Amino acid sequence: GRIAWSARGGWDHGRALAECAAAVRARPGLHEAWHRLGTVLCHVSLFEESSACFARAYAINPHDLSSYAIWGFCRYLEGRLDEAVEIAERVWSESPSAWVGYELALCRIRLGQMDEAERLAAIAARQFPGTALFYSIRAILAALGGDAERARSEIEQVSRHSRQFNHYHHAQYDVATSFAQIGERGV
């Protein structure tokens, strides 16, 4: 499942789901299988199913904050923002990462807490310099604030740092969101 759902495997969602499901059936206590299955399900917008997988992965290994963080992102995508914030804040306090800082900033934006999102993006950008995600967060914030020039500048930085993050598609989505907010089609 891990090989199928990789750049080398062509991000073959169907095969990855089948392989991960087979691993879960064969070894129901295998944390990695639940984690991978939940991750792929999240990426194909099956959030309820994904959340169930992450709940199982977390029950198997409550020390794996990576599974817990992605579970929080699923909650964010489901619109369950209070749960997403609670999860992201816990992970951020115990084991800050670029991903969790990004996740928490996105939650703050959706909750209308722009100053807090800006503060988080600044802190995370200092901790994880060059990560495209924080330029994309700042692009969204600038666009929402009506500052098209700053939004374009942050979008340019996203492009310059595209190799700094494994799943660059999240930053690309934010760039598209920013362009839409400032009324441009982008490049």
Side-chain angles (χ1 to χ4, degrees):
R2 183 178 209 125
I3 292 168
W5 200 68
S6 68
R8 178 179 282 173
W11 304 106
D12 187 341
H13 295 88
R15 183 167 170 227
L17 290 170
E19 294 292 338
C20 290
V24 163
R25 283 191 304 277
R27 293 190 53 206
L30 183 61
H31 168 269
E32 172 64 23
W34 288 106
H35 174 98
R36 183 66 45 196
L37 182 57
T39 300
V40 178
L41 286 167
C42 184
H43 277 80
V44 297
S45 301
L46 293 171
F47 304 125
E48 189 174 318
E49 295 86 346
S50 175
S51 288
C53 289
F54 284 117
R56 181 72 177 126
Y58 188 68
I60 294 167
N61 183 359
H63 302 291
D64 178 25
L65 294 178
S66 175
S67 288
Y68 197 51
I70 300 171
W71 187 9
F73 191 66
C74 259
R75 292 303 197 208
Y76 164 79
L77 293 171
E78 288 176 287
R80 296 169 72 164
L81 299 177
D82 291 338
E83 290 175 59
V85 167
E86 181 181 322
I87 291 169
E89 283 181 340
R90 176 178 165 221
V91 176
W92 180 257
S93 71
E94 292 182 31
S95 180
S97 68
W99 176 256
V100 175
Y102 171 75
E103 184 179 322
L104 195 49
L106 282 176
C107 288
R108 295 299 182 197
I109 290 169
R110 288 274 303 275
L111 289 167
Q113 300 167 352
M114 303 310 175
D115 290 342
E116 182 62 11
E118 189 82 55
R119 187 187 74 77
L120 280 164
I123 290 168
R126 281 192 302 273
Q127 280 189 276
F128 308 99
T131 300
L133 293 174
F134 303 112
Y135 297 111
S136 70
I137 286 289
R138 289 193 298 246
I140 291 172
L141 289 164
L144 289 171
D147 188 344
E149 185 176 329
R150 180 174 164 231
R152 282 186 221 96
S153 175
E154 297 294 351
I155 288 167
E156 177 60 34
Q157 291 298 318
V158 171
S159 296
R160 287 187 185 154
H161 294 89
S162 63
R163 296 189 185 266
Q164 297 295 322
F165 185 63
N166 189 25
H167 293 289
Y168 183 62
H169 59 276
H170 294 280
Q172 289 173 317
Y173 178 84
D174 296 342
V175 165
T177 300
S178 300
F179 274 129
Q181 183 66 35
I182 62 174
E184 295 180 15
R185 293 185 70 171
V187 282

